[in-house]
């Protein structure tokens, strides 16, 4: 009786090792990292909605260029209208919210794909769209437009370039991972 139990336990352990060796590591990583960026973007959007004024001041100062070197050759770019500044801020929050929702849908699709209920193509596509939205927001919006066009790099008080670069880098790394061979579909995982 003891030997049968021991051999049965060994068989279960061997089956677990075999199953773990077939764990789709790249799709699992894509799932977790997509979910992480989704969580981050959701928290950013939530924070901007619930504490509207804090980052509105950031956007206003960047667009007004009031803490830059005030070079007359650049100051013509400044946007000093509070209405236009607030419109820009609301557009940023809307973009963040949509990116978060798309990434959440991507993460849910990855989970469904890992459970074998769906292919991973939809998850990959949704993740790509959401991550590109994050890259555009932080790369084009904050680094290029805010940093260069509105000379945010000149401000000691209202400079978000480090945070934007960090967010851009993380989203870029996750996007590369999502597109590595082996994250395409369930069929590829078996090959």
């Amino acid at each position: 009786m003891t030997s049968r139990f021991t051999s049965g336990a060994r068989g279960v352990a061997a089956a677990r090792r075999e199953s773990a060796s077939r764990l789709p590591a790249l799709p699992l990583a894509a799932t977790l990292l997509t979910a992480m960026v989704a969580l981050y973007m959701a928290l950013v959007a939530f924070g901007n909605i619930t504490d509207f004024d804090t980052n509105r001041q950031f956007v206003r100062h960047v667009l007004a260029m009031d803490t830059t070197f005030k070079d007359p050759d650049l100051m013509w770019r400044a946007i000093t209208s509070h209405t236009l500044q607030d419109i820009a801020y609301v557009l940023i929050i809307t973009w963040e919210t949509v990116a978060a929702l798309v990434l959440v849908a991507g993460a849910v699709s990855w989970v469904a794909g890992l459970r074998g209920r769906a292919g991973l193509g939809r998850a990959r596509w949704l993740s790509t769209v959401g991550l590109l939205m994050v890259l555009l927001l932080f790369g084009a919006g904050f680094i290029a437009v805010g940093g260069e066009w509105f000379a945010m790099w000149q401000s000691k008080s209202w400079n978000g370039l480090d945070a934007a670069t960090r967010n851009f880098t993380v989203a870029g790394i996750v996007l590369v991972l999502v597109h590595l061979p082996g994250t395409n579909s369930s069929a590829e995982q078996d090959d």
Side-chain angles (χ1 to χ4, degrees), residues 132-170:
L132 287 173
M133 290 181 74
V134 173
L135 289 168
L136 285 170
L137 176 66
F138 291 107
F142 288 101
I143 296 171
V145 176
E148 290 303 316
W149 184 257
F150 291 106
M152 182 170 58
W153 64 271
Q154 295 178 0
S155 177
K156 291 182 184 199
S157 307
W158 302 99
N159 185 341
L161 287 174
D162 286 343
T165 301
R166 210 171 30 250
N167 294 325
F168 182 84
T169 302
V170 168

Side-chain angles (χ1 to χ4, degrees), residues 36-92:
M36 177 198 68
V37 178
L39 174 64
Y40 175 76
M41 290 306 296
L43 291 173
V44 167
F46 181 76
N48 285 338
I49 292 166
T50 59
D51 183 18
F52 189 81
D53 196 50
T54 299
N55 280 328
R56 176 172 62 172
Q57 293 307 315
F58 176 84
V59 171
R60 283 184 172 180
H61 285 290
V62 169
L63 296 179
M65 300 174 67
D66 57 359
T67 60
T68 64
F69 301 161
K70 298 193 182 189
D71 183 335
D73 292 333
L74 298 179
M75 290 307 292
W76 63 271
R77 300 175 183 177
I79 297 174
T80 56
S81 163
H82 285 272
T83 302
L84 291 177
Q85 293 168 344
D86 289 348
I87 289 170
Y89 184 44
V90 168
L91 289 173
I92 290 168

Side-chain angles (χ1 to χ4, degrees), residues 1-17:
M1 182 88 159
T2 306
S3 63
R4 185 185 297 177
F5 176 75
T6 305
S7 65
R10 284 186 198 140
V12 170
R16 284 186 183 156
R17 281 193 304 275

